[in-house]
Amino acid sequence: MTILVENRGGYRVLTLNRPERLNALTVEMAGALMEALDAAEADPKCRALLLTGAGRGFCAGQDLTAIANASPARIGALLEQYNPLIRKICALPIPVVCAVNGIAAGAGANLALACDIVLAGRSAGFVQAFAKIGLVPDCGGTWLLPRLVGQARARALAMLAEPLPAETAAEWGMIWRTVPDEELIAEAEALADRLAAGPTAALGLIKQALDQSTINSLDGQLDFERDLQEEAAENADFAEGLRAFLAKRPPKFAGGR
Ligand code: LHQ
């Protein structure tokens, strides 16, 4: 199985599982990941996701052995398999944590960056490997990178295709933070668990608001926030949050979407 799915009550762990190839992506794997994302979305009990990789790497991007003789049209067509994954992760109404357990290269780097909160082991790294083989960053890299780290750093990362240590990625604001390698999975699980106990509908609306901010004017965004706030306030978790605050106790969010 190229994607492992583990149900942990409130959240699910999805593990890219081709460790002998540093979890390089294939069409079959993209299909399995898409199925797992769809299943998570359809299950109201699944309130967060954790994405990670098996073995010493997170994901080495497209499996290059699988495209050795591919025509340019086939290369383009392959992205029709990968793009829906990025769209789906960004549009999922639940938070997605990524635990980058080793090198994240090419499409693998951008798959990680599409997640909501990215943790990385201290020895992990990110490489926009595309230019090394004469390709262009894909899977949202040219959109995500300049927004995360600014144009100057995005251009150098994309054109030089040099590995960026996870620590630097965190300093630059490309990811949330690094943790010692041996603590990565426990930290990521604790984070997913915490998010899964959160006000799920509001967390989904927060994703929407931040995404929309990239295309809205301040004026438009203020209106959008007002509408989302009304929607959040209609959810029982808002009433519970208020009650808990006033009673000076921790909230117990039901997480209805
Ligand atoms: C791999 C791969 C790999 C196959 C390591 N494929 N075997 C493009 C085209 C079309 C549509 C879709 O999207 C894309 C987007 C892309 O993602 S293009 C970019 C593809 N990725 C790369 O160019 C990265 C290639 N890999 C590397 O540069 C290195 O392997 C990195 C820096 C990731 C890791 O280096 P090391 O830690 O030194 O490991 P390694 O190179 O020894 O790799 C371990 C094994 O995994 C090795 O196999 P072997 O049989 O020798 O043990 C590699 O051949 C294999 N592997 N990446 N992408």
Side-chain angles (χ1 to χ4, degrees):
M1 299 230 282
T2 54
I3 302 292
L4 304 178
V5 181
E6 286 169 80
N7 218 329
R8 299 278 177 84
Y11 70 96
R12 280 180 200 188
V13 184
L14 308 185
T15 305
L16 308 173
N17 188 38
R18 293 183 74 224
E20 69 291 352
R21 296 273 131 209
L22 302 180
N23 304 315
L25 296 167
T26 60
V27 170
E28 187 276 327
M29 204 169 164
L33 183 54
M34 195 65 189
E35 263 181 41
L37 293 170
D38 282 337
E41 185 177 15
D43 180 358
K45 291 195 290 302
C46 181
R47 292 167 62 184
L49 280 179
L50 169 53
L51 178 66
T52 191
R56 73 174 175 91
F58 171 70
C59 176
Q62 167 63 36
D63 187 316
L64 296 177
T65 63
I67 58 164
N69 299 310
S71 67
R74 173 78 189 131
I75 300 285
L78 264 178
L79 283 177
E80 296 300 336
Q81 309 292 318
Y82 297 136
N83 287 346
L85 293 174
I86 305 298
R87 292 192 175 106
K88 174 62 82 178
I89 289 170
C90 294
L92 272 182
I94 54 174
V96 185
V97 174
C98 187
V100 181
N101 53 300
I103 194 73
N110 298 331
L111 178 65
L113 297 181
C115 297
D116 294 306
I117 302 185
V118 185
L119 292 179
R122 295 247 160 90
S123 71
F126 296 82
V127 53
Q128 296 290 324
F130 310 87
K132 266 203 178 144
I133 54 168
L135 289 179
V136 176
D138 59 21
C139 289
T142 59
W143 192 92
L144 291 161
L145 272 180
R147 285 169 172 78
L148 290 167
V149 300
Q151 284 283 357
R153 286 168 168 165
R155 276 168 203 246
L157 287 172
M159 290 184 176
L160 302 175
E162 283 174 7
L164 186 73
E167 300 256 29
T168 313
E171 274 163 33
W172 287 5
M174 198 171 106
I175 63 171
W176 170 232
R177 65 190 187 90
T178 60
V179 291
D181 288 349
E182 61 282 7
E183 292 169 22
L184 176 68
I185 287 303
E187 284 269 343
E189 286 175 346
L191 191 56
D193 202 40
R194 178 175 154 195
L195 289 163
T200 307
L203 299 183
L205 296 175
I206 289 170
K207 279 182 80 153
Q208 272 188 46
L210 293 172
D211 286 345
Q212 192 69 19
S213 78
T214 61
I215 50 168
N216 260 352
S217 61
L218 173 61
D219 207 39
Q221 188 70 7
L222 287 168
D223 288 345
F224 192 58
E225 287 176 356
R226 176 204 57 214
D227 295 345
L228 294 183
Q229 203 67 296
E230 191 173 329
E231 200 177 327
E234 281 166 3
N235 192 284
D237 281 343
F238 170 57
E240 165 59 9
L242 268 184
R243 269 196 311 271
F245 175 78
L246 296 173
K248 297 190 188 297
R249 63 165 173 81
K252 196 163 170 21
F253 294 119
R257 296 189 213 153

